[in-house]
Amino acid sequence: MTLEELNNARPEYKGLLCLNQKQTAELIGVSSSTLDNWRKESLGPQYKKIDSGKKGRVLYPKTAIIEWLSSTIKTA
């Protein structure tokens, strides 16, 4: 998947650089809790945590999601 393909598949994400956890989980086809568990186990796409602690926001750059999807598809 390329950035262009992602933007065409999900036009509502076109202007965004990063997706939140819910958007990312929906895009890759897993639950938000699965994505949370993957993050704790250092699996899944790379992310950025904005602010620390439980109130911190987790964002996934679209490029990181695409890279992760590409590497997952190649190894599957």
Side-chain angles (χ1 to χ4, degrees), residues 27-69:
L27 180 69
I28 63 176
V30 298
S31 69
S32 187
S33 60
T34 295
L35 195 56
D36 187 43
N37 289 334
W38 285 355
R39 195 172 60 252
K40 291 174 186 173
E41 297 174 20
S42 299
L43 303 170
Q46 290 189 359
Y47 64 93
K48 307 240 184 243
K49 187 158 186 185
I50 311 301
D51 293 330
S52 59
K54 292 192 178 241
K55 299 279 183 183
R57 233 182 124 164
V58 175
L59 297 174
Y60 294 85
K62 290 195 299 189
T63 53
I65 297 167
I66 293 164
E67 287 174 17
W68 182 82
L69 285 170

Side-chain angles (χ1 to χ4, degrees), residues 2-15 62:
T2 66
L3 187 57
E4 184 178 353
E5 290 170 334
L6 187 152
N7 288 332
N8 288 337
R10 297 293 187 138
E12 65 272 26
Y13 300 160
K14 190 172 186 170
K62 290 195 299 189

